[in-house]
């Protein structure tokens, strides 16, 4: 099975200048835990619900003044639509990430692959392996 068959096809992204209060509202409205940050049509980072908690709230910042660029995880690991699910899972395991942006041949973001998508594509052993890899305790 290819990533294109399992991924969520609708992905919303934000600009680096977007205030994190708006990012949080988008996460709530869409019921999602990660939002890609794009600039000039290219993904430059990712903001997760954990980023908001650790880099904004825990540090006492005002979410209406902090921008996406200030709290995003820069760069990003991603896969392509044509990749096999197993390849994407290995990437997620290696980088210990729960959500993997999906790009088309032009490196434009077209989807998101999450642990739940792996479980729904029918490979329970692969999903269990991924869950163990990304949720292990830190040494």
């Amino acid at each position: 099975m290819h990533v294109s068959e399992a991924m969520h096809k609708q992905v919303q992204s934000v600009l680096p200048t977007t205030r994190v209060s708006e990012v949080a509202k988008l996460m709530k409205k869409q019921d999602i835990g990660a939002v890609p940050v794009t600039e000039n049509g290219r993904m430059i980072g990712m903001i997760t619900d954990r980023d908001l908690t650790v880099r904004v709230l825990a540090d006492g910042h005002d979410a209406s003044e902090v921008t996406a660029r200030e709290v995003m995880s820069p760069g990003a690991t991603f896969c392509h639509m044509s990749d096999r699910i197993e390849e994407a899972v290995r990437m997620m395991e290696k980088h210990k990430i729960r959500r993997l942006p999906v790009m088309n041949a032009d490196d434009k973001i077209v989807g998101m692959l999450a642990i739940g998508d792996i479980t729904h594509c029918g490979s329970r052993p692969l999903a269990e392996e991924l869950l163990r890899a990304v949720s292990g305790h830190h040494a």
Side-chain angles (χ1 to χ4, degrees), residues 2-135:
H2 290 96
V3 170
S4 61
E5 299 171 75
M7 69 183 195
H8 279 87
K9 292 179 174 68
Q10 296 183 6
V11 177
Q12 298 224 327
S13 63
V14 296
L15 296 171
T17 54
T18 304
R19 302 288 179 201
V20 295
S21 57
E22 293 304 313
V23 175
K25 288 176 187 173
L26 176 63
M27 287 179 172
K28 179 180 178 180
K29 179 180 177 190
Q30 298 292 319
D31 191 27
I32 55 176
V35 176
V37 180
T38 58
E39 187 171 51
N40 299 320
R42 300 279 183 217
M43 189 171 75
I44 62 167
M46 192 85 131
I47 296 180
T48 65
D49 43 11
R50 187 175 193 284
D51 292 329
L52 295 179
T53 302
V54 173
R55 296 180 182 157
V56 180
L57 296 176
D59 287 342
H61 296 294
D62 181 347
S64 65
E65 295 192 16
V66 177
T67 65
R69 185 183 306 275
E70 295 173 81
V71 300
M72 71 182 190
S73 296
T77 300
F78 61 87
C79 66
H80 287 93
M81 295 174 62
S82 59
D83 291 344
R84 304 226 13 105
I85 289 289
E86 295 81 7
E87 295 172 279
V89 167
R90 299 294 171 257
M91 200 175 299
M92 293 168 84
E93 290 174 345
K94 178 182 176 186
H95 296 282
K96 299 210 179 295
I97 55 177
R98 297 165 186 258
R99 303 164 191 98
L100 186 62
V102 181
M103 305 294 179
N104 65 14
D106 296 323
D107 284 338
K108 303 284 184 189
I109 189 162
V110 293
M112 190 74 72
L113 186 68
I115 293 174
D117 301 320
I118 305 301
T119 63
H120 288 101
C121 76
S123 178
R124 185 177 177 143
L126 194 58
E128 289 172 351
E129 176 186 325
L130 175 58
L131 190 57
R132 275 193 302 277
V134 301
S135 62

